[in-house]
Amino acid sequence: MNKNRIGQLDAMRGLAAIAVVFSHYYQVEVKPALSVLLFKFSPLAFIKNGHGAVILFFLLSGFVLMLPFLKNNAISYKTFLLKRILRIYVPFWFAMVFSILLCSWLSTGGISSLGSWFNSSWNEPVTVKSVVENLLLIGNYNSNLYNNVIWSLVQEMRISIIFPLLALIIMKWNWKTVLGLCLALSAISGTKNIFGYDHSYGFHTGFMDTLHYTTIFLIGGLLAKHREFIVGLFVKSSKAWKWSLLGLAYILFTYSELAMAVGNRVGLRHYQEILDDYTTTVSCAILIIIALGSARVTRLLSIRIIAFFGDISYSIYLYHLLVLFSFIYLFHGKLPLSIIYVLAFFWTILIAAASYNYIEVPAIKWGKRIGTRSKKETHQPSEPVVKF
């Protein structure tokens, strides 16, 4: 497999991060009917599928985290976890501190003319309890208070803690058994909707939600394990088949919410969101296969601006809401919202670039140094899994 093509998957994160940004801009206002028709039910709906973009993040995380295990790059569990903490927490802490400070300075508790999604954040006084909960990241708490995108980081960090075990399962079990485990975990997760337990205080921050999102990581790991075979089939397929796969991925991603309607129709309303997520997962898996198997897509993802968005995707994700909320509180009633969106997007990119260069890159390098030192200390380069 071409290493450059695997590297281009970061560019997919950039495009997904932009989709998350647009989805949140879309939710700020109370939408007129025409806007809903244009973006919710039209072919442009993929632009605002922020949740689908997060599913892609999870799938890519499972894929990328699995690769070192498949390459027999052994490190200790402590080193693995420390590298994940440096990668996730350090940029996150900087963003959260800014979010909390800006919220305490600018927030007036909401703007009544804007939508309920906007007014669900920056609407309560800053407290020590809420600050500690948000900075720790992994608990079940109100993640909407300061920067509501962090619900996905809650799940990412929890699953990272157990990922070496997931990697062992992927390596030891065949794909049918792993997919069976995925279905079982999601089935158990959905029981919280039936019996009303494990309430999520933020958006999907419950521990039963973690069971379901673990399946996305498992599927990403399976995709990494069998990538040579699957991509080989794609490369050998006809042009018509390749275009059909791309069309299928587009339809499943853009209209994944139809799976919820189908679930309701067949009596699975308690599992409608899970069905939506699996529909999106299939579409994202197809897109990853296409990205790995198509030279044309590789060239597209290598375009400088797309690659740049890929580099700064995590910081875009972390900072776009605090920039958006700050600009709205500063300029609402003084500037049209359309101008505020443009200004917020421009400043998000500038801040994300600075965060990437001065916070993310040093944290990544720190983690790599720790990993290199750990390998030298173990003297066991052939060990296929993280050592506990």
Side-chain angles (χ1 to χ4, degrees):
M1 183 67 64
N2 189 314
K3 290 182 179 180
N4 184 53
R5 290 188 179 180
I6 291 179
Q8 299 309 321
L9 295 180
D10 279 341
M12 296 182 69
R13 292 184 191 271
L15 297 176
I18 298 300
V20 172
V21 172
F22 288 162
S23 73
H24 287 150
Y25 287 8
Y26 177 81
Q27 294 179 76
V28 168
E29 303 171 67
V30 178
K31 296 296 178 295
L34 181 60
S35 176
V36 173
L37 289 173
L38 282 175
F39 290 101
K40 188 173 181 62
F41 302 110
S42 81
L44 297 175
F46 73 93
I47 296 174
K48 53 163 281 298
N49 188 358
H51 187 71
V54 173
I55 296 300
L56 177 59
F57 289 151
F58 288 160
L59 194 67
L60 285 171
S61 289
F63 185 99
V64 172
L65 288 176
M66 190 66 202
L67 292 177
F69 294 89
L70 298 171
K71 295 176 181 176
N72 296 329
N73 290 334
I75 56 176
S76 68
Y77 176 71
K78 181 177 71 173
T79 301
F80 170 84
L81 193 57
L82 184 55
K83 289 180 69 175
R84 290 307 289 163
I85 289 172
L86 288 171
R87 184 67 185 99
I88 295 174
Y89 270 99
V90 173
F92 160 76
W93 278 331
F94 275 89
M96 280 306 302
V97 168
F98 281 118
S99 295
I100 293 165
L101 291 175
L102 287 168
C103 173
S104 63
W105 173 43
L106 294 173
S107 174
T108 58
I111 299 175
S112 59
S113 60
L114 300 182
S116 59
W117 173 83
F118 174 83
N119 286 302
S120 67
S121 299
W122 289 27
N123 61 354
E124 295 182 15
V126 175
T127 65
V128 173
K129 179 177 180 293
S130 65
V131 169
V132 171
E133 287 176 338
N134 276 267
L135 292 179
L136 288 178
L137 190 63
I138 60 175
N140 183 6
Y141 58 90
N142 187 356
S143 57
N144 295 328
L145 288 179
Y146 306 119
N147 192 346
N148 67 38
V149 301
I150 68 171
W151 74 269
S152 66
L153 302 183
V154 170
Q155 299 296 348
E156 179 103 23
M157 196 61 221
R158 286 179 189 164
I159 298 169
S160 290
I161 291 172
I162 63 168
F163 191 82
L165 175 60
L166 302 182
L168 182 62
I169 289 171
I170 293 167
M171 295 186 71
K172 298 295 184 183
W173 296 4
N174 65 52
W175 65 270
K176 294 179 183 178
T177 307
V178 175
L179 289 181
L181 173 64
C182 290
L183 293 176
L185 291 175
S186 293
I188 295 170
S189 174
T191 60
K192 74 183 182 67
N193 300 322
I194 299 174
F195 301 109
Y197 65 94
D198 190 42
H199 174 73
S200 294
Y201 294 100
F203 180 78
H204 291 331
T205 54
F207 289 95
M208 295 304 291
D209 292 316
T210 305
L211 286 183
H212 168 58
Y213 290 122
T214 297
T215 69
I216 313 300
F217 279 72
L218 283 168
I219 293 170
L222 271 183
L223 196 59
K225 179 182 178 181
H226 299 289
R227 67 189 186 281
E228 298 284 354
F229 174 74
I230 299 172
V231 173
L233 290 178
F234 173 80
V235 171
K236 294 175 184 177
S237 63
S238 67
K239 184 178 292 187
W241 179 244
K242 291 175 181 176
W243 280 105
S244 297
L245 276 177
L246 179 60
L248 176 63
Y250 165 78
I251 291 171
L252 293 178
F253 186 86
T254 305
Y255 302 108
S256 62
E257 290 183 358
L258 292 177
M260 299 173 70
V262 172
N264 280 330
R265 190 79 175 180
V266 299
L268 294 174
R269 66 182 180 86
H270 296 298
Y271 289 88
Q272 58 180 358
E273 290 183 289
I274 290 174
L275 292 172
D276 185 346
D277 287 348
Y278 273 118
T279 302
T280 304
T281 299
V282 172
S283 71
C284 292
I286 294 172
L287 291 174
I288 291 173
I289 292 166
I290 293 174
L292 294 175
S294 170
R296 183 178 299 176
V297 173
T298 296
R299 288 194 296 272
L300 175 65
L301 294 175
S302 299
I303 294 173
R304 181 170 297 181
I305 186 64
I306 297 178
F308 171 67
F309 284 148
D311 289 338
I312 66 172
S313 59
Y314 185 34
S315 287
I316 290 175
Y317 192 72
L318 287 174
Y319 284 93
H320 75 277
L321 279 187
L322 68 94
V323 174
L324 174 65
F325 279 47
S326 297
F327 277 45
I328 288 177
Y329 275 111
L330 285 169
F331 300 117
H332 186 260
K334 302 173 185 176
L335 293 175
L337 278 170
S338 57
I339 300 299
I340 293 176
Y341 296 150
V342 172
L343 290 173
F345 185 80
F346 175 76
W347 277 97
T348 294
I349 300 304
L350 288 180
I351 294 170
S355 171
Y356 172 74
N357 284 297
Y358 299 110
I359 300 173
E360 285 192 66
V361 170
I364 292 170
K365 289 181 178 179
W366 189 6
K368 286 182 178 178
R369 285 197 296 270
I370 291 172
T372 301
R373 186 164 60 248
S374 174
K375 289 178 185 177
K376 291 179 179 178
E377 291 171 355
T378 60
H379 298 291
Q380 294 181 9
S382 62
E383 182 68 31
V385 297
V386 165
K387 295 168 59 188
F388 290 88

